[in-house]
Amino acid sequence: TQLLEQSPQFLSIQEGENLTVYCNSSSVFSSLQWYRQEPGEGPVLLVTVVTGGEVKKLKRLTFQFGDARKDSSLHITAAQTGDTGLYLCAGGESGGGADGLTFGKGTHLIIQP
Amino acid sequence: NAGVTQTPKFQVLKTGQSMTLQCAQDMNHEYMSWYRQDPGMGLRLIHYSVGAGITDQGEVPNGYNVSRSTTEDFPLRLLSAAPSQTSVYFCASTKTSAFNEQFFGPGTRLTVL
């Protein structure tokens, strides 16, 4: 069974600060996805990374896939209150459907004004 | 496009009652799946389908049935509800690609008394 561990589990910081959350595994994944979930809603896909060492930027969010494709990080620069939510990472196996996706338990992020 | 829709948004059942959670998607995705989300447990896959007429079990299938008569619809049935099934349920569809990217519905919050 593949496992994805996310850290920290909870993070509360002030608006304007920078932060990084991590997603780690002992398994190799063909792709790594990050989702954001707001209270009362379903997760929404932010980005998919597929190449070891790949870096993708989405405005103030920077996503990196580890060289060995076992880990990933999400860095937020100058956090805003609108960044508050649950951040989930999910590792994918090549060619699979939902049964080939492993979710981490998430990082609860609160950005205080 | 409406994307993935789920009904109802909230439901309260008594132990032993049955009900069906509805899920529909208008994106012509082949893969659909059901997850439950519980505090501290993350998203867990209940059942999934790789196309009309084909379903399979996920990580936590006991107590749930599914069918897939059309590409668009994927209902989840609870035949005899138990308090352990109190959870938030998400339906998702998957773009047919190598990366298993999930498009989630808004969720159904179910309480079993």
Side-chain angles (χ1 to χ4, degrees):
Chain A
T1 303
Q2 295 179 310
L3 292 175
L4 272 171
E5 294 191 3
Q6 291 190 241
S7 61
Q9 192 175 355
F10 297 94
L11 182 60
S12 178
I13 63 171
Q14 296 292 319
E15 195 170 27
E17 294 183 4
N18 301 332
L19 67 107
T20 302
V21 298
Y22 300 92
C23 176
N24 294 302
S25 176
S26 58
S27 303
V28 175
F29 292 102
S30 64
S31 67
L32 199 295
Q33 300 161 20
W34 284 92
Y35 294 81
R36 188 175 85 183
Q37 184 179 15
E38 298 189 18
E41 300 182 9
V44 175
L45 180 68
L46 295 174
V47 75
T48 300
V49 285
V50 300
T51 305
E54 182 177 2
V55 176
K56 278 193 174 178
K57 293 192 175 184
L58 188 65
K59 296 184 181 177
R60 294 174 295 99
L61 279 60
T62 301
F63 303 86
Q64 184 163 8
F65 203 10
D67 290 341
R69 291 185 290 132
K70 293 182 179 182
D71 54 83
S72 181
S73 63
L74 159 59
H75 181 79
I76 301 179
T77 302
Q80 299 177 357
T81 55
D83 296 326
T84 292
L86 174 66
Y87 289 81
L88 297 162
C89 66
E93 297 174 18
S94 178
D99 59 316
L101 203 59
T102 301
F103 278 91
K105 294 182 179 179
T107 293
H108 293 265
L109 177 63
I110 297 174
I111 309 300
Q112 301 188 19
Chain B
N1 287 350
V4 179
T5 57
Q6 291 183 239
T7 56
K9 182 71 174 172
F10 300 95
Q11 183 71 50
V12 178
L13 293 177
K14 294 181 180 178
T15 297
Q17 287 185 316
S18 62
M19 79 159 295
T20 299
L21 307 186
Q22 301 292 343
C23 174
Q25 54 98 3
D26 61 359
M27 296 175 284
N28 204 31
H29 288 169
E30 289 188 23
Y31 289 2
M32 295 185 74
S33 52
W34 277 101
Y35 295 85
R36 58 178 290 172
Q37 187 175 41
D38 303 288
M41 301 296 290
L43 281 164
R44 292 183 291 170
L45 183 64
I46 304 171
H47 285 285
Y48 64 97
S49 168
V50 300
I54 306 170
T55 64
D56 208 341
Q57 297 181 349
E59 180 186 356
V60 288
N62 292 342
Y64 308 95
N65 282 348
V66 291
S67 60
R68 183 99 179 269
S69 56
T70 67
T71 300
E72 293 78 21
D73 300 297
F74 191 42
L76 178 72
R77 297 183 186 86
L78 285 70
L79 298 179
S80 179
S84 61
Q85 293 178 305
T86 293
S87 187
V88 182
Y89 291 86
F90 290 100
C91 178
S93 70
T94 306
K95 205 168 151 179
T96 307
S97 74
F99 307 128
N100 317 329
E101 292 159 332
Q102 304 282 295
F103 291 80
F104 286 89
T108 294
R109 181 173 292 275
L110 175 67
T111 302
V112 183
L113 303 175

